[in-house]
Amino acid sequence: MSTGGNEGDPWWASAVVYQVYPRSFADADGDGIGDLPGLVNRLPYLSGLGVDAIWLSPFYPSPLKDGGYDVSDYTDVDPRLGTLGDFDALIDGARKHHIRVIVDLVPNHCSSDHPLFKKALAAPAGSVERALFIFRDGRGPDGGEPPNNWPSQFGGPAWTRVPDGQWYLHLFDSSQPDWNWRDPRVGAMFEEILRFWLDRGIGGFRVDVAHGLFKDPQLADVADVTLTNRPSAYYHRPEVHTVYRRWREILDSYPSDGFPGARTAVGEVWADSAATLKAYLADDELPQIFNFDLVRAKWSPTAVREAIETTHEFADGSRAPWVIGNHDVVRPVTRWGVDAARAAALLLLALPGSAYIYQGEELGLPEVEDIPDDARRDPTFRRTGGMEVGRDGCRVPLPWSAAGASFGFSRTDPDFDPAPPWLPQPPGWGALSVAVQSGDPGSFLSLYRAALRLRREHPALGVGPDGGDAMRWLDAPDQALFFARDPGFVFAVNLGDSAVPLPPHSAVLLASGPLGADGGGRATLPRDTAAWLTAGLQERPVLTAGVQERPVMCVRKIRAPSGRHGGADSGTAQGRNAGRARERAQPQARGRV
Ligand code: GLC
């Protein structure tokens, strides 16, 4: 059941995809780590929310040095998260709810625990075992300097020395050695991995660091050692496109009819320009790549409009899904403010194409900023000597119930005491739980449920009948953005400080907060509020009762966010550097630094 799509559009063109970070979603066995059976138990919740697919962040065996993005076996399930049988049960259960499963593929690097890396370490310099990775002699008199000046994305140099004196390359943590994609065995291995999961019935892949993989064969020094997402000696090498052409052939070799239908691959590509991004979307390459423009935008009418227009320079939302958060960036509530995050949710779901929701966004969870240093797990924290706190704050296990051990995150049955969650939850977490919000018509969760229901039903939403480009800017006051989508839909958001009149409409379908009224009784849109409207020439001086009487949300009780109007450039190395590379004069959102 993809939303708002047309005959012939693949399901993913309009899909609302929910990102599950499995260790933090739901814990069925009570060990404090979320797992696949926990996710299976919560499928009815996701079905009730109304999502079309799940993107499952890594669930593979991993020493968890980088939250699972350090994979030691690409074709199995981490025993702490379940078994392959549990994965199959997930696919079956999800199918019953008509939900597809997209899995995360991490092709740039593996874990230093991967058996092939262990073999490489045990083998001599110059061996075929080492050729699967990027080993080099060092520079300087005794080879004691790294082979080049490349930086790790997580801080420090991108090289680590092994006991025999050679160095290996890792663009991320030292526990994440980069594969040598110039060795054909690597490509062959990943093709098998693709087929392994496709044969199990998945709907596609999210491709981690899709702009990585190939490195300049000379491994030449870079002129600029600050991190960059520009095409460089280590990112956006032209050779990477041959891989995606091959993968596209594999994806397309699976039937596109029936369920799960046409298989997709959505690339995580951080880039400096629309032109760089566009190359990945050639007709025979990746079906989709994320657009991170809204993630990077500050909450202002010019920045948000520019983010939407920049995306349209390289794709429409069906090929470049809209995103406001993920497991790598500061949560929208903290980045933009509670009301703005609610308004942004309605924006996200009104834009043409597909949208991704990161778990907990639908609950309005804030970034948890006061995690004690000794509980932090993100390698960024360690590799920068605590200068950057890292991404743990958006990965805190979800609250399902108002009270009880880990607020319902872990199995709770009488006489069973679950282990504490792997990241500590703040004391007030229960007030934001699914149970509390389910009973509150003004909650974040109720807003998301209503928006997803309307999106499914309204013919203008999703891709819409005119394809992914189908939105038309309408005249609006400077502080607001209004756009129309056919048939008969108008979106309005006020990003300024004072109320503005609503654009002409015949009915209010949904609003992110209470609407106001002017002296003549006409509806107004308060600051940081968005509305979905039925287009109509006649403005009605009437407010929809349900909208006007929307109670103040429980989520207002959370700590005041510090960066109401900030962008997310401090959220990740990628975000920060992409932001810099694009030379947007954005204020530092809220320092992780
Ligand atoms: C991607 C992931 C991030 C991870 C990194 C290295 O950017 O989203 O979480 O740390 O790749 O795998």
Side-chain angles (χ1 to χ4, degrees), residues 191 308 327 348 376 381 566 576 587:
E191 287 180 21
I308 294 166
H327 66 293
L348 175 84
R376 290 199 176 273
F381 181 72
R576 275 192 313 283

Side-chain angles (χ1 to χ4, degrees), residues 66 69 109 154 172 206 208-209 268 327-328 391 574:
D66 181 24
Y69 285 91
H109 47 266
F154 289 160
F172 292 87
R206 178 261 187 188
D208 190 67
V209 197
E268 182 209 26
H327 66 293
D328 288 331
R391 301 157 294 175
Q574 294 98 321

Side-chain angles (χ1 to χ4, degrees), residues 18-233:
Y18 184 94
Q19 182 191 353
V20 172
Y21 192 75
R23 288 172 180 81
S24 302
F25 187 70
D27 167 27
D29 64 7
D31 64 356
I33 301 175
D35 46 37
L36 297 188
L39 170 56
V40 171
N41 293 342
R42 298 293 185 180
L43 284 171
Y45 168 76
L46 295 177
S47 169
L49 185 58
V51 302
D52 300 295
I54 298 166
W55 150 27
L56 194 54
S57 281
F59 51 87
Y60 314 107
S62 164
L64 296 184
K65 294 284 171 36
D66 181 24
Y69 285 91
D70 45 325
V71 179
S72 50
D73 182 347
Y74 288 87
T75 54
D76 206 349
V77 174
D78 190 301
R80 287 163 290 187
L81 271 68
T83 61
L84 277 175
D86 293 326
F87 182 85
D88 293 339
L90 168 65
I91 296 284
D92 275 358
R95 172 191 293 261
K96 290 192 183 106
H97 292 286
H98 216 80
I99 292 175
R100 275 110 176 158
V101 178
I102 292 173
V103 303
D104 219 310
L105 186 70
V106 189
N108 180 68
H109 47 266
C110 59
S111 156
S112 49
D113 271 13
H114 193 290
L116 292 175
F117 188 71
K118 288 185 172 167
K119 278 191 187 154
L121 281 184
S127 59
V128 289
E129 288 87 351
R130 286 207 175 174
L132 287 173
F133 299 90
I134 301 177
F135 279 88
R136 290 291 185 280
D137 294 331
R139 298 198 287 202
D142 61 350
E145 298 294 320
N148 68 25
N149 66 351
W150 296 0
S152 151
Q153 300 287 314
F154 289 160
W159 296 90
T160 290
R161 201 170 194 193
V162 300
D164 65 19
Q166 278 212 306
W167 298 73
Y168 66 89
L169 178 73
H170 51 87
L171 288 186
F172 292 87
D173 189 45
S174 54
S175 63
Q176 295 168 295
D178 282 37
W179 290 106
N180 173 20
W181 272 85
R182 296 187 185 279
D183 189 309
R185 290 174 295 170
V186 173
M189 179 181 75
F190 272 94
E191 287 180 21
E192 277 178 34
I193 294 166
L194 248 62
R195 290 183 193 286
F196 178 88
W197 294 108
L198 287 165
D199 289 344
R200 292 192 108 88
I202 61 161
F205 298 94
R206 178 261 187 188
V207 184
D208 190 67
V209 197
H211 50 305
L213 281 59
F214 284 86
K215 279 83 196 180
D216 165 24
Q218 310 307 323
L219 299 176
D221 273 348
V222 286
D224 179 1
V225 291
T226 53
L227 296 172
T228 172
N229 292 314
R230 284 190 292 273
S232 68

Side-chain angles (χ1 to χ4, degrees), residues 301 305 473-483 491-493 500-501 503:
R305 182 165 173 155
W473 292 110
L474 302 176
D475 286 343
D478 285 351
Q479 67 192 73
L481 296 174
F482 299 164
F483 63 78
F491 172 82
V493 60
V500 297

Side-chain angles (χ1 to χ4, degrees), residues 231-252:
S232 68
Y234 50 83
Y235 278 157
H236 304 292
R237 305 294 302 173
E239 301 89 324
V240 79
H241 295 287
T242 58
V243 173
Y244 299 134
R245 282 196 277 275
R246 179 68 196 122
W247 288 8
R248 183 62 180 267
E249 284 172 9
I250 294 176
L251 294 169
D252 289 351

